[in-house]
Amino acid sequence: MTDLPVLIAGGGIGGLATALTLQQIGVPCLVYESVREMRPLGVGINLQPNAVRELYDLGIGADDLDQVGVPAKEWALVGLNGNDIYSEPRGLLAGYNWPQYAVHRGKLHMLLYSRLVQRAGAATVRLGSRVSGYEKNADGTVTARIEHADGSRSEQRGRLLIGADGIHSAVRAQMHPAQPPIHWGGAVMWRGVTWAKPMRTGSSFVGLGTHRHRVVVYPISHPDPKTGLALINWIAEVTMDNTEGWKQTGWFRQVPVAEFAHHFAGWTYDWLDVPALIAGADGAYENPMIDRDPVPTWVDGPVALMGDAAHAMYPTGSNGASQAIVDARVLGTCLLAHGVTPAALAAYDEKLCGPISAVILRNRGAGPFGLLNLVDERCGGTFTNIDEVVPPAEREAFMANYKKAAGFAIEQLNAAPRTIAEGAMVDAAKAA
């Protein structure tokens, strides 16, 4: 049985981070990914310092991350009339021992994939193969049912199965067959990237508007030394009536900017021209802001969920990908402590399921963007002196509470030992 691999359903950021962690601690694994070819899909995401710390410990350092993104210097919320509501330094400038990175999601994905292939071999990732379900075996192992792109089917027995197969997870659907459908709160997001001049610090994350009508802007590349232009990621968001549910045929589609640009006409300030930013993109991607209701457990014997399969959440806290990376590392510590056994998965579940389920609901309530809610309620989003609307102490306390819940409070993170000790390997005596 010790020769059997750990099976990973899904080769996204969470699945690859899990595979890299298993390789690091000496546990063989196989990743099953439905796409036939890995490609750098998506636009910008943020990696919080708690996730960057884990990537560093995986041997993916600043030089690597600088190739796929840029260290963030500032996080700011701005009202409808362009005045600051709240701003703070981020990453190293805030006092963390690790930076925060704004990265191109597809480039980060390809970086993780190339490192896994380099370290564990190309055969570790089985492309064109989707885990459609599982069967628990009497000896404590698990058998995954696999559908292949050519229409064939197969089965693979493994010591454990990790469901890293996203918000539409087949593993989760079997584990929780009575779960409610995907939850949509009414917000629609349009995402794109445009070459433009970076604003404020040159590496600022800015949320502008109200909680029902806003734009988020941040760079995901270093400026071109010749032009001074950087690749700017933008998210334009409007909350609509959702009483009839999402009516589009899919959850993600490419659209021309003309379909939504009118929502942001007139959003022009001396430091940012939103209409020009949107118009400068080659295209945009539309998707509803969706999540799933928390479930009471992420584990079913030798099967565990992680990443979006476990805790798909609104992106208001910029911690979806970060939490998937942290999931992988916590899972690694549990395997080191309990061996490659269901007991390790139970320990992982005990540590993360409850606290991260609370973050799902906190993000549904606007996460750190909840400050925009307060401003909107008290003054309609326009003001001259923010201190008269939301006092400084109230703003600071709001942000501190979110960081603590999401696991990246400065003192707590800086004082924590490495999640996985350098050189730690799973004890063969614990492996069975």
Side-chain angles (χ1 to χ4, degrees):
M1 192 170 92
T2 56
D3 294 333
L4 291 175
V6 170
L7 310 178
I8 301 171
I13 289 172
L16 295 178
T18 301
L20 284 164
T21 296
L22 295 178
Q23 188 276 332
Q24 184 183 49
I25 62 175
V27 177
C29 67
L30 290 175
V31 179
Y32 291 91
E33 168 55 46
S34 61
V35 302
R36 292 174 182 255
E37 177 188 1
M38 289 290 201
R39 293 184 293 130
L41 302 177
V43 284
I45 60 173
N46 271 263
L47 297 176
Q48 301 293 351
N50 57 342
V52 174
R53 176 179 91 143
E54 301 303 338
L55 291 176
Y56 281 15
D57 289 352
L58 272 171
I60 298 170
D63 290 345
D64 300 309
L65 295 178
D66 280 336
Q67 301 303 309
V68 301
V70 60
K73 296 179 180 178
E74 181 191 35
W75 191 90
L77 293 179
V78 179
L80 275 177
N81 57 351
N83 291 341
D84 275 18
I85 293 171
Y86 179 88
S87 65
E88 64 178 20
R90 279 295 171 106
L92 298 176
L93 295 179
Y96 288 99
N97 291 341
W98 304 270
Q100 175 177 326
Y101 267 87
V103 302
H104 188 290
R105 187 254 174 221
K107 292 181 179 179
L108 173 67
H109 185 214
M110 296 304 293
L111 171 62
L112 298 180
Y113 176 58
S114 65
R115 288 302 166 87
L116 179 61
V117 169
Q118 180 185 50
R119 296 174 186 180
T124 300
V125 182
R126 308 294 172 89
L127 298 176
S129 301
R130 172 183 175 269
V131 174
S132 59
Y134 63 88
E135 181 177 347
K136 295 184 290 182
N137 301 320
D139 62 358
T141 64
V142 61
T143 297
R145 296 188 291 272
I146 303 159
E147 297 177 350
H148 302 281
D150 63 4
S152 64
R153 297 170 184 255
S154 66
E155 294 184 345
Q156 173 65 52
R157 185 163 160 255
R159 293 155 77 182
L160 303 172
L161 170 63
I162 309 302
D165 47 345
I167 192 169
H168 303 289
S169 169
V171 178
R172 175 174 169 137
Q174 179 173 340
M175 189 181 295
H176 296 284
Q179 67 177 336
I182 289 173
H183 172 267
W184 176 49
V188 178
M189 299 180 293
W190 297 276
R191 300 170 180 261
V193 291
T194 304
W195 286 98
K197 292 272 189 185
M199 68 194 75
R200 296 173 68 109
T201 65
S203 186
S204 293
F205 176 110
V206 179
L208 165 68
T210 73
H211 68 295
R212 297 181 63 85
H213 190 192
R214 67 176 179 244
V215 170
V216 172
V217 180
Y218 56 90
I220 56 174
S221 78
H222 293 275
D224 184 288
K226 294 181 180 179
T227 66
L229 303 181
L231 196 60
I232 306 297
N233 182 81
W234 53 262
I235 305 165
E237 179 187 323
V238 175
T239 299
M240 304 177 176
D241 177 15
N242 68 332
T243 53
E244 296 184 2
W246 183 247
K247 291 300 184 182
Q248 299 292 346
T249 56
W251 298 101
F252 186 85
R253 68 182 183 121
Q254 190 165 10
V255 298
V257 297
E259 279 198 17
F260 62 89
H262 62 279
H263 290 296
F264 303 92
W267 285 41
T268 304
Y269 310 90
D270 57 1
W271 53 277
L272 176 65
D273 186 335
V274 174
L277 192 69
I278 292 173
D282 290 336
Y285 298 91
E286 177 190 78
N287 59 288
M289 187 182 290
I290 54 179
D291 68 4
R292 280 200 181 276
D293 290 346
V295 288
T297 180
W298 298 347
V299 168
D300 178 18
V303 183
L305 305 174
M306 64 89 64
D308 280 354
H311 49 68
M313 62 182 77
Y314 286 2
T316 52
S318 299
N319 57 345
S322 295
Q323 186 59 50
I325 293 168
V326 171
D327 290 351
R329 305 299 285 169
V330 172
L331 177 61
T333 66
C334 294
L335 294 171
L336 287 165
H338 300 278
V340 188
T341 64
L345 302 188
Y348 158 81
D349 192 47
E350 176 68 23
K351 187 172 182 65
L352 290 182
C353 181
I356 302 308
S357 293
V359 175
I360 296 172
L361 299 178
R362 188 181 288 259
N363 278 9
R364 189 179 287 182
F369 285 95
L371 280 174
L372 294 178
N373 300 29
L374 292 178
V375 175
D376 193 30
E377 290 168 2
R378 296 178 188 182
C379 69
T382 61
F383 55 88
T384 301
N385 184 353
I386 187 58
D387 291 350
E388 296 175 356
V389 181
V390 185
E394 187 176 0
R395 303 197 303 271
E396 294 288 344
F398 186 97
M399 289 303 299
N401 287 339
Y402 184 81
K403 291 176 191 174
K404 183 177 180 181
F408 53 95
I410 296 176
E411 297 81 4
Q412 174 186 336
L413 184 62
N414 284 352
R418 281 180 59 130
T419 305
I420 294 179
E422 187 171 6
M425 302 289 282
V426 168
D427 185 344
K430 293 181 177 178

